[in-house]
Amino acid sequence: MKFLDDSLLKFDQEVATPEDAIRLAGGVLLEEGTIDRQYIEAMIQAYHENGPYFVLAPAIAIPHARPEDGVHEASVSCIHLKEPVSFGHQSNDPVKLIFGLGAASSQEHVELLRKLTRVLNNQEYVKRMEQASSFEEFSKIFRESDIT
Amino acid sequence: MIKVLTVCGLGQGTSLILKMNVETALNEKNIKADVEHMDVSAASSTPADYVVTSSELADSLKDHSGKVVIVKNYFDMEEINQAVEENFTSS
């Protein structure tokens, strides 16, 4: 399982479109070797087919596809955007934090989602992620919140 | 025991997150339920008492026999607790 390690975080990124944001979040997973390139296209396709329902909370998007689209290991990345971008969601736009989810079919996938849910249920952590002013400050939140 | 579905576009990620938080809310209220996560098309043909999903997907589920409950913020336990309180009755 790869859960928001420093190598899976990108801070203060600039994107023009939701698709760019998804590519960035997926690109980090690809570099880490936890997904295949085709998984990124599947994430974008899922967005186009099913809409922005994965913008699960104000400012938070969790794009993902299916395990069979090319996932080697349960993993999640996080992109912090310099300027938020709109995904077209009715109530949770604009998006500032993108958690790219490599959805596996293993028990690890369930554990990973449990950890992610525990972090994001904490509104204090989320506020600090959005307002972080440096990579160090941003990364520190995940070290504190890394409940094993 | 009531049957609850949590639904997302693919049935893999976000519906599982929703299942975890809905189960937490149901446990707190001592409501016994069987909660399953799945995608929209599977949910359409799966009987249940309640279907919990986002407003974006609620339209595709309006013909479901179960009561459709909408959650806007999947990480706001206050909203989920309130949705459970207002919509669910234990049986």
Side-chain angles (χ1 to χ4, degrees), chain A residues 101-127:
Chain A
L101 178 66
S105 51
S106 56
Q107 182 56 30
E108 274 198 339
H109 173 62
V110 178
E111 281 163 35
L112 181 141
L113 286 181
R114 206 175 291 285
K115 284 169 79 163
L116 184 61
T117 301
R118 216 173 293 169
V119 174
L120 296 179
N121 276 354
N122 186 322
Q123 289 171 11
E124 186 59 32
Y125 282 146
V126 174
K127 199 193 292 170

Short mmCIF file of all heavy atoms in Angstrom, two decimals, chain A residues 101-127:
data_model
loop_
_atom_site.label_atom_id
_atom_site.label_comp_id
_atom_site.label_asym_id
_atom_site.label_seq_id
_atom_site.Cartn_x
_atom_site.Cartn_y
_atom_site.Cartn_z
N LEU A 101 -6.78 8.09 -6.76
CA LEU A 101 -6.92 6.80 -6.10
C LEU A 101 -6.63 5.65 -7.05
O LEU A 101 -7.29 5.51 -8.08
CB LEU A 101 -8.36 6.68 -5.55
CG LEU A 101 -8.77 5.40 -4.86
CD1 LEU A 101 -7.98 5.20 -3.58
CD2 LEU A 101 -10.27 5.42 -4.57
N GLY A 102 -5.63 4.86 -6.72
CA GLY A 102 -5.37 3.62 -7.46
C GLY A 102 -6.19 2.53 -6.77
O GLY A 102 -5.80 2.01 -5.73
N ALA A 103 -7.34 2.22 -7.36
CA ALA A 103 -8.28 1.31 -6.71
C ALA A 103 -7.90 -0.14 -7.00
O ALA A 103 -8.00 -0.59 -8.13
CB ALA A 103 -9.70 1.60 -7.18
N ALA A 104 -7.47 -0.85 -6.00
CA ALA A 104 -7.13 -2.27 -6.15
C ALA A 104 -8.33 -3.11 -5.70
O ALA A 104 -9.29 -2.59 -5.15
CB ALA A 104 -5.90 -2.60 -5.31
N SER A 105 -8.24 -4.41 -5.93
CA SER A 105 -9.37 -5.24 -5.51
C SER A 105 -9.03 -6.00 -4.23
O SER A 105 -9.76 -6.87 -3.79
CB SER A 105 -9.75 -6.22 -6.62
OG SER A 105 -8.59 -6.90 -7.05
N SER A 106 -7.91 -5.63 -3.62
CA SER A 106 -7.42 -6.34 -2.44
C SER A 106 -8.00 -5.79 -1.15
O SER A 106 -8.66 -4.75 -1.13
CB SER A 106 -5.90 -6.18 -2.38
OG SER A 106 -5.58 -4.81 -2.37
N GLN A 107 -7.73 -6.50 -0.08
CA GLN A 107 -8.10 -6.03 1.26
C GLN A 107 -7.37 -4.72 1.57
O GLN A 107 -7.86 -3.87 2.29
CB GLN A 107 -7.77 -7.11 2.29
CG GLN A 107 -8.16 -6.79 3.73
CD GLN A 107 -9.64 -6.46 3.90
OE1 GLN A 107 -10.47 -6.97 3.16
NE2 GLN A 107 -9.96 -5.59 4.85
N GLU A 108 -6.16 -4.55 0.97
CA GLU A 108 -5.39 -3.31 1.18
C GLU A 108 -6.16 -2.09 0.71
O GLU A 108 -6.04 -1.02 1.27
CB GLU A 108 -4.06 -3.39 0.41
CG GLU A 108 -2.98 -4.06 1.20
CD GLU A 108 -1.59 -3.73 0.64
OE1 GLU A 108 -1.48 -3.34 -0.53
OE2 GLU A 108 -0.63 -3.89 1.40
N HIS A 109 -6.93 -2.26 -0.36
CA HIS A 109 -7.75 -1.17 -0.89
C HIS A 109 -8.75 -0.69 0.16
O HIS A 109 -8.94 0.51 0.35
CB HIS A 109 -8.47 -1.66 -2.16
CG HIS A 109 -9.47 -0.69 -2.71
ND1 HIS A 109 -9.12 0.56 -3.17
CD2 HIS A 109 -10.82 -0.79 -2.88
CE1 HIS A 109 -10.21 1.18 -3.62
NE2 HIS A 109 -11.25 0.40 -3.45
N VAL A 110 -9.36 -1.64 0.85
CA VAL A 110 -10.33 -1.30 1.90
C VAL A 110 -9.62 -0.57 3.05
O VAL A 110 -10.11 0.44 3.55
CB VAL A 110 -11.04 -2.57 2.42
CG1 VAL A 110 -12.01 -2.23 3.54
CG2 VAL A 110 -11.75 -3.29 1.29
N GLU A 111 -8.44 -1.09 3.43
CA GLU A 111 -7.68 -0.44 4.50
C GLU A 111 -7.27 0.98 4.11
O GLU A 111 -7.33 1.91 4.91
CB GLU A 111 -6.42 -1.25 4.83
CG GLU A 111 -6.68 -2.46 5.70
CD GLU A 111 -5.52 -3.45 5.67
OE1 GLU A 111 -4.37 -2.99 5.57
OE2 GLU A 111 -5.79 -4.66 5.70
N LEU A 112 -6.82 1.13 2.84
CA LEU A 112 -6.41 2.44 2.35
C LEU A 112 -7.57 3.43 2.42
O LEU A 112 -7.42 4.56 2.88
CB LEU A 112 -5.88 2.31 0.92
CG LEU A 112 -5.37 3.58 0.24
CD1 LEU A 112 -4.14 3.27 -0.59
CD2 LEU A 112 -6.43 4.20 -0.64
N LEU A 113 -8.75 2.99 1.99
CA LEU A 113 -9.91 3.89 2.00
C LEU A 113 -10.33 4.22 3.42
O LEU A 113 -10.78 5.32 3.70
CB LEU A 113 -11.08 3.26 1.24
CG LEU A 113 -10.94 3.26 -0.28
CD1 LEU A 113 -12.17 2.62 -0.91
CD2 LEU A 113 -10.78 4.67 -0.83
N ARG A 114 -10.15 3.27 4.33
CA ARG A 114 -10.49 3.52 5.73
C ARG A 114 -9.57 4.62 6.30
O ARG A 114 -10.02 5.53 6.98
CB ARG A 114 -10.36 2.22 6.54
CG ARG A 114 -11.22 2.20 7.77
CD ARG A 114 -11.16 0.85 8.47
NE ARG A 114 -11.80 -0.24 7.75
CZ ARG A 114 -13.13 -0.42 7.67
NH1 ARG A 114 -13.94 0.41 8.26
NH2 ARG A 114 -13.62 -1.43 6.99
N LYS A 115 -8.28 4.51 5.96
CA LYS A 115 -7.33 5.53 6.43
C LYS A 115 -7.64 6.89 5.82
O LYS A 115 -7.64 7.91 6.51
CB LYS A 115 -5.88 5.12 6.04
CG LYS A 115 -5.32 4.02 6.93
CD LYS A 115 -4.02 3.46 6.37
CE LYS A 115 -2.84 4.35 6.68
NZ LYS A 115 -1.55 3.65 6.51
N LEU A 116 -7.92 6.89 4.51
CA LEU A 116 -8.21 8.15 3.82
C LEU A 116 -9.47 8.80 4.39
O LEU A 116 -9.52 10.02 4.61
CB LEU A 116 -8.36 7.89 2.31
CG LEU A 116 -8.57 9.12 1.43
CD1 LEU A 116 -7.39 10.08 1.52
CD2 LEU A 116 -8.80 8.71 -0.02
N THR A 117 -10.48 7.97 4.65
CA THR A 117 -11.74 8.48 5.20
C THR A 117 -11.51 9.08 6.59
O THR A 117 -12.03 10.14 6.91
CB THR A 117 -12.79 7.34 5.27
OG1 THR A 117 -12.98 6.84 3.96
CG2 THR A 117 -14.11 7.84 5.81
N ARG A 118 -10.67 8.41 7.38
CA ARG A 118 -10.39 8.90 8.72
C ARG A 118 -9.71 10.28 8.66
O ARG A 118 -10.01 11.17 9.44
CB ARG A 118 -9.51 7.90 9.48
CG ARG A 118 -9.86 7.83 10.95
CD ARG A 118 -9.09 6.72 11.63
NE ARG A 118 -9.49 5.40 11.16
CZ ARG A 118 -8.82 4.28 11.45
NH1 ARG A 118 -7.72 4.33 12.18
NH2 ARG A 118 -9.25 3.12 11.01
N VAL A 119 -8.81 10.46 7.70
CA VAL A 119 -8.13 11.75 7.55
C VAL A 119 -9.11 12.83 7.09
O VAL A 119 -9.17 13.92 7.65
CB VAL A 119 -6.95 11.64 6.54
CG1 VAL A 119 -6.35 13.01 6.28
CG2 VAL A 119 -5.89 10.69 7.06
N LEU A 120 -9.91 12.49 6.06
CA LEU A 120 -10.75 13.52 5.45
C LEU A 120 -12.02 13.81 6.27
O LEU A 120 -12.64 14.85 6.10
CB LEU A 120 -11.11 13.14 4.01
CG LEU A 120 -9.89 13.07 3.08
CD1 LEU A 120 -10.32 12.67 1.67
CD2 LEU A 120 -9.14 14.40 3.02
N ASN A 121 -12.39 12.91 7.18
CA ASN A 121 -13.51 13.19 8.09
C ASN A 121 -13.12 14.29 9.08
O ASN A 121 -13.98 14.88 9.72
CB ASN A 121 -13.89 11.94 8.89
CG ASN A 121 -14.85 11.03 8.14
OD1 ASN A 121 -15.32 11.36 7.06
ND2 ASN A 121 -15.13 9.88 8.72
N ASN A 122 -11.82 14.53 9.20
CA ASN A 122 -11.32 15.53 10.15
C ASN A 122 -11.22 16.89 9.45
O ASN A 122 -10.30 17.14 8.67
CB ASN A 122 -9.95 15.09 10.68
CG ASN A 122 -9.44 16.01 11.76
OD1 ASN A 122 -9.62 17.22 11.70
ND2 ASN A 122 -8.80 15.44 12.76
N GLN A 123 -12.19 17.75 9.72
CA GLN A 123 -12.26 19.01 8.97
C GLN A 123 -11.11 19.95 9.30
O GLN A 123 -10.77 20.83 8.49
CB GLN A 123 -13.63 19.66 9.18
CG GLN A 123 -14.69 18.84 8.42
CD GLN A 123 -16.12 19.23 8.69
OE1 GLN A 123 -16.39 20.25 9.30
NE2 GLN A 123 -17.04 18.40 8.25
N GLU A 124 -10.51 19.76 10.47
CA GLU A 124 -9.34 20.57 10.84
C GLU A 124 -8.16 20.25 9.92
O GLU A 124 -7.48 21.14 9.40
CB GLU A 124 -8.99 20.27 12.30
CG GLU A 124 -7.90 21.14 12.87
CD GLU A 124 -8.24 22.64 12.82
OE1 GLU A 124 -9.43 23.00 12.94
OE2 GLU A 124 -7.30 23.42 12.64
N TYR A 125 -7.93 18.95 9.67
CA TYR A 125 -6.86 18.53 8.75
C TYR A 125 -7.10 19.10 7.35
O TYR A 125 -6.19 19.60 6.70
CB TYR A 125 -6.80 16.99 8.64
CG TYR A 125 -6.14 16.28 9.79
CD1 TYR A 125 -6.60 15.02 10.18
CD2 TYR A 125 -5.05 16.83 10.47
CE1 TYR A 125 -6.01 14.33 11.23
CE2 TYR A 125 -4.45 16.15 11.52
CZ TYR A 125 -4.93 14.89 11.89
OH TYR A 125 -4.34 14.21 12.91
N VAL A 126 -8.36 19.01 6.89
CA VAL A 126 -8.68 19.45 5.53
C VAL A 126 -8.42 20.94 5.38
O VAL A 126 -7.83 21.39 4.40
CB VAL A 126 -10.15 19.11 5.17
CG1 VAL A 126 -10.52 19.70 3.82
CG2 VAL A 126 -10.35 17.60 5.16
N LYS A 127 -8.82 21.71 6.39
CA LYS A 127 -8.60 23.15 6.34
C LYS A 127 -7.10 23.45 6.26
O LYS A 127 -6.65 24.29 5.50
CB LYS A 127 -9.21 23.79 7.60
CG LYS A 127 -9.43 25.30 7.43
CD LYS A 127 -9.74 26.01 8.73
CE LYS A 127 -11.09 25.61 9.31
NZ LYS A 127 -11.24 26.13 10.71
#
